[in-house]
DNA sequence: GTAATTTTGTCAAAAATTGACAAGTCAAAT
DNA sequence: ATTTGACTTGTCAATTTTTGACAAAATTAC
């Protein structure tokens, strides 16, 4: 079972024996805010994904997948969306691709 | 293949032979902005879902599914997320449910 | 033609997010 | 039992994003 993105960062951090302050500084972030991110009280900012990948030598593409799936999961969870939602979403992605639509 | 939420509104509107102005007023919305919504240039606002359901006698739960799947699809499409993203998201939803986590 | 409808552009107001700092808890060390 | 370091929580101004509203252009129907 997949953990949240914040918990993932926390496990990366502790496995590498870094303090919040140390990692926060590498990510150009306040340690208090990093704590909130790790505890699902704030969102990690997309613009720091590359930095995070570099710090822990991670594959950026995989990290992005991890990141966006987290955002989507939270949206579904927070709004009590039913199980059909993701199936429909997948169809709509195909539709958008087929139409080459420019959305907001 | 599933259309976008905006296109769905548009088809509902035209099937019911309403002008933008007419529907916009029922939805407490500016007609120019409704036009943008129908053309995927703005997001429909969640707080108007119930109103929309009432106007066209739709099942609110289904409409919500339609609405949130649209948001998710656009996020995936706009960010060029790979196909794994939704699979991962589903796992994360289960994880959040199992933990009963309170997110942001 | 022109009248109605739809689309597009713009912008201030409102809402949401972020960065930053202060103050708090907790555990370990001395 | 006090200090130190690590982490958490609360708050708030500043930035960023979204929204509502209006004008005006473009399109369609008559």
């Amino acid at each position: 079972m997949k953990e949240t993105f914040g918990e993932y960062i926390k496990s990366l951090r502790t496995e590498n024996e870094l303090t919040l302050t140390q990692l926060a500084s590498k990510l150009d972030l306040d340690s208090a805010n990093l704590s909130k991110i790790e505890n699902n009280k704030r969102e990690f900012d997309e613009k720091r994904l590359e930095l995070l990948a570099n710090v822990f030598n991670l594959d950026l593409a995989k990290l992005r997948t991890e990141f966006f799936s987290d955002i989507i999961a939270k949206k579904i969870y927070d709004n009590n969306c039913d199980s059909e939602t993701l199936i429909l979403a997948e169809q709509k992605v195909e539709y958008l691709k087929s139409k080459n639509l420019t959305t907001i």
Side-chain angles (χ1 to χ4, degrees), chain A:
Chain A
M1 186 157 314
K2 258 306 185 181
E3 65 204 335
T4 66
F5 196 74
E7 289 163 2
Y8 178 51
I9 292 177
K10 183 167 201 160
S11 64
L12 284 169
R13 180 174 65 79
T14 52
E15 276 162 22
N16 287 273
E17 290 172 20
L18 293 173
T19 65
L20 279 169
T21 310
Q22 287 171 326
L23 179 55
S25 120
K26 286 176 198 290
L27 296 175
D28 186 29
L29 199 57
D30 185 284
S31 67
N33 290 331
L34 179 54
S35 166
K36 286 172 196 160
I37 290 169
E38 289 188 349
N39 294 298
N40 304 305
K41 303 198 186 309
R42 272 212 190 187
E43 291 298 343
F44 188 78
D45 196 308
E46 189 190 349
K47 71 175 179 236
R48 273 184 261 263
L49 277 180
E50 203 170 338
L51 216 44
L52 182 63
N54 293 342
V55 170
F56 293 117
N57 245 286
L58 305 166
D59 183 287
L60 180 56
K62 282 188 184 178
L63 200 59
R64 270 175 48 85
T65 304
E66 198 63 50
F67 173 77
F68 284 112
S69 65
D70 201 78
I71 290 177
I72 291 165
K74 278 172 182 162
K75 179 140 275 167
I76 290 176
Y77 177 70
D78 291 340
N79 292 289
N80 272 292
C81 296
D82 67 45
S83 55
E84 254 193 284
T85 310
L86 284 175
I87 298 165
L88 242 182
E90 190 157 20
Q91 293 173 31
K92 279 170 186 272
V93 172
E94 290 316 308
Y95 176 74
L96 290 169
K97 282 181 185 167
S98 76
K99 288 265 200 170
N100 235 291
L101 275 182
T102 306
T103 60
I104 311 145

